[in-house]
Amino acid sequence: MCEQMGQEPLDDEIPPDLEDFPDIAVQALITFQSLGDRVYPDIGYMGKDFTTLPYYIDMHGIEDTGLFLEILTYLESRAINQSQEQLKREREKLKRQK
């Protein structure tokens, strides 16, 4: 897009790549994507299923489990909030159609 506008990209505006993050953050992202979702029809997305989490911790050789779990719970809370906002928008849309 910068090229089309004849501008040089600013380093501060370039989004980070996966390799820009620390290894533990990358491992947490990969684990988060690998965990199953808990979704209920009337409620929606309730978060991740952490029953297989010990296997991922062992597989990745995670030593700082506290930080690893903090990253996972942060990602989960963002996903839950996003899901709830989407459900709210869909319900409002249905109300307006009636």
Side-chain angles (χ1 to χ4, degrees):
M1 186 165 70
C2 288
E3 185 178 323
Q4 292 174 348
M5 297 174 63
Q7 298 175 348
E8 289 292 319
L10 302 174
D11 288 338
D12 295 342
E13 295 177 358
I14 299 173
D17 287 331
L18 197 57
E19 64 257 4
D20 294 333
F21 291 98
D23 287 340
I24 194 164
V26 173
Q27 292 162 342
L29 284 166
I30 291 169
T31 301
F32 183 78
Q33 292 172 341
S34 299
L35 294 171
D37 294 328
R38 293 182 302 136
V39 181
Y40 300 101
D42 294 337
I43 301 170
Y45 178 74
M46 295 301 295
K48 289 293 186 177
D49 179 5
F50 288 104
T51 56
T52 58
L53 184 60
Y55 300 107
Y56 288 105
I57 290 173
D58 186 47
M59 181 175 68
H60 291 298
I62 303 298
E63 294 177 8
D64 189 353
T65 55
L67 178 59
F68 186 74
L69 292 174
E70 189 174 330
I71 295 168
L72 283 177
T73 54
Y74 172 77
L75 293 170
E76 181 184 43
S77 68
R78 298 268 317 229
I80 290 171
N81 289 340
Q82 184 179 10
S83 172
Q84 294 302 317
E85 287 297 320
Q86 182 180 356
L87 279 175
K88 186 177 178 180
R89 285 191 303 271
E90 289 174 8
R91 287 184 185 137
E92 290 298 319
K93 185 178 177 181
L94 288 173
K95 284 182 184 178
R96 283 184 263 136
Q97 289 179 354
K98 290 183 179 181

